Amino acid sequence: MQTNIAPSQSLAQPRGLSRRVRLWTLLGLQALVFIAVTRPLFRSILVSAGESDAKGAVRLIARELAALPNMPPDNLGAWVSDQPLIQHRLADVRIVEDHLEYHGYRITWKPTALGSDGLRESRGTLWAVPLDPGKTGRTHFHIQVD
């Protein structure tokens, strides 16, 4: 006598569910590893891009300050608010009282004091410092404007 035993539907269903659970668990773990690996990488890319943008902004502002026929003003924020070219090129620059904020950097202007002979060695120095060191930038930099 030959017996034909077929698995019942109730026995086959848990086996299929366990495969689905394992598949979704595996996909969830892969997504978790992907996020854990790529998040610091993206953060590093954003910080580097912000540094690069701030360096370009400082170069642009320094070039415009050097082209002025007279001494640059003491207040960088007020001066930039009257410069349509700079505002156009640095569309998302924030003017905050006497300094600028651009892509995670604070950009400040320090005019050079008069020397003992009554002359200045340079017009001043343009500084860029991260607003939140390590998070918005790693490097402090400056340009001396002659």
Side-chain angles (χ1 to χ4, degrees):
M1 179 156 146
Q2 188 177 23
T3 60
N4 291 333
I5 300 177
S8 68
Q9 202 64 338
S10 62
L11 291 176
Q13 197 170 14
R15 186 172 177 213
L17 282 178
S18 66
R19 283 184 184 168
R20 286 187 191 131
V21 169
R22 281 186 278 161
L23 175 66
W24 284 108
T25 302
L26 181 63
L27 289 174
L29 288 174
Q30 287 177 343
L32 186 64
V33 168
F34 177 78
I35 290 170
V37 169
T38 57
R39 188 165 187 235
L41 178 63
F42 286 140
R43 168 57 79 191
S44 176
I45 290 169
L46 288 174
V47 168
S48 295
E51 284 181 1
S52 177
D53 291 344
K55 285 178 187 177
V58 167
R59 286 187 194 112
L60 172 69
I61 295 167
R63 188 172 54 243
E64 293 297 319
L65 287 170
L68 291 176
N70 52 1
M71 286 302 293
D74 291 337
N75 188 329
L76 182 66
W79 179 75
V80 168
S81 66
D82 293 332
Q83 301 299 314
L85 174 68
I86 293 175
Q87 289 183 8
H88 175 72
R89 298 274 312 270
L90 308 175
D92 53 345
V93 69
R94 286 185 42 208
I95 299 171
V96 182
E97 296 177 13
D98 63 343
H99 68 276
L100 309 174
E101 292 180 0
Y102 188 69
H103 292 204
Y105 272 80
R106 178 185 174 131
I107 301 172
T108 57
W109 169 249
K110 302 289 183 196
T112 304
L114 291 173
S116 59
D117 57 359
L119 300 174
R120 297 177 194 254
E121 294 179 20
S122 69
R123 292 178 175 226
T125 306
L126 200 59
W127 288 88
V129 179
L131 290 171
D132 189 0
K135 290 187 178 181
T136 61
R138 296 178 289 267
T139 308
H140 299 222
F141 51 91
H142 66 278
I143 293 179
Q144 187 171 349
V145 179
D146 293 326

